[in-house]
Amino acid sequence: PIIFVIAFSPFILSIVFQKKLSNLLFFICTSLSLLLFPVLTVLLIALIFKLLPNVPNGKHNFFTKHYYIWLFKDLIHETVVTSSFLNNLVIRIKPIRYLFYSIIGMPNKNLIILANDVRILDPDRVHIGKFTFIGINTILSGHIIRSGRLVLEKIHIGNSNILGAFCSVACGVKTGNDCKIDSFVTINNNVTIGNNSVILGKTFIDSYV
């Protein structure tokens, strides 16, 4: 709620000072503030995400300091990824994507192609190589819950890869360059895929392969 209030403050200020503005200036201010509201929202989320302490990779017990820090960062970022409008605003409009992922620290912002509704969880742990395409509704998650513990690992997608639609990529996955992964593929955690690999649709790859 605090993030939304701050992002909405330009609109509130334009209403408060309505009597001191001409009709044209009031219309311009309110219109711009409404247009900027979603942009300010995602940038504020990225800034808070960046300012919070980093949680190291590895296994973390529930209800510990690292768990609560990760949980808070995850909840903030979920505001973006669970909203189709905000999520697609980030991944489809390059200037916003550049600012959002630059703040978070994700590389190759302008050299990847993301289809609609791609969900990148834990974006500070996801490295997507240059000239890689990620298909619609694919999920890349830098965390899993396993054996009652939170597991955090980086995802490294190589250069010139193609990931089809509705894929699921878990933490610790590493792919080489020039890989082609069809739609509906599930890749569990800590899987390594070599260069020039082709994975057919609906394939399930278990952990540590």
Side-chain angles (χ1 to χ4, degrees):
I2 295 173
I3 293 172
F4 288 127
V5 168
I6 295 172
F8 208 57
S9 58
F11 178 79
I12 296 172
L13 289 172
S14 63
I15 297 297
V16 170
F17 293 103
Q18 177 182 359
K19 294 181 179 179
K20 296 183 179 181
L21 302 174
S22 65
N23 290 337
L24 178 60
L25 190 57
F26 173 71
F27 174 76
I28 293 172
C29 289
T30 51
S31 299
L32 285 176
S33 60
L34 290 173
L35 289 173
L36 287 173
F37 170 69
V39 178
L40 290 174
T41 300
V42 297
L43 293 182
L44 281 168
I45 289 169
L47 184 60
I48 295 171
F49 191 97
K50 180 65 176 179
L51 291 175
L52 288 170
N54 291 325
V55 179
N57 293 326
K59 298 177 181 178
H60 304 279
N61 293 322
F62 291 163
F63 313 119
T64 60
K65 174 185 174 183
H66 286 147
Y67 170 76
Y68 282 118
I69 293 172
W70 169 83
L71 183 64
F72 187 58
K73 294 176 77 169
D74 183 65
L75 288 173
I76 291 171
H77 189 247
E78 282 282 322
T79 305
V80 174
V81 296
T82 56
S83 166
S84 291
F85 175 72
L86 292 178
N87 191 44
N88 288 324
L89 184 74
V90 170
I91 65 177
R92 301 298 285 169
I93 300 179
K94 281 193 173 183
I96 298 174
R97 182 205 299 175
Y98 181 83
L99 288 171
F100 185 80
Y101 288 135
S102 291
I103 295 170
I104 289 176
M106 187 173 161
N108 303 324
K109 285 79 63 174
N110 285 341
L111 298 175
I112 56 177
I113 301 173
L114 303 174
N116 286 341
D117 295 315
V118 170
R119 296 180 64 186
I120 300 177
L121 309 180
D122 309 284
D124 54 334
R125 300 177 201 277
V126 177
H127 179 285
I128 301 175
K130 299 176 182 178
F131 314 120
T132 286
F133 171 82
I134 310 292
I136 188 171
N137 277 302
T138 287
I139 299 176
L140 292 86
S141 176
H143 76 274
I144 57 169
I145 304 298
R146 177 156 292 178
S147 301
R149 288 199 287 181
L150 169 68
V151 182
L152 299 172
E153 296 289 347
K154 288 188 176 182
I155 293 175
H156 190 286
I157 307 296
N159 299 324
S160 303
N161 281 4
I162 297 176
L163 274 72
F166 296 94
C167 291
S168 177
V169 180
C171 61
V173 169
K174 298 178 182 178
T175 74
N177 300 323
D178 301 297
C179 296
K180 295 181 180 179
I181 301 171
D182 287 345
S183 299
F184 296 97
V185 170
T186 298
I187 306 175
N188 269 358
N189 64 296
N190 297 94
V191 170
T192 301
I193 299 170
N195 295 330
N196 303 301
S197 296
V198 177
I199 300 176
L200 300 182
K202 300 184 180 180
T203 297
F204 177 89
I205 303 178
D206 208 351
S207 302
Y208 297 98
V209 172

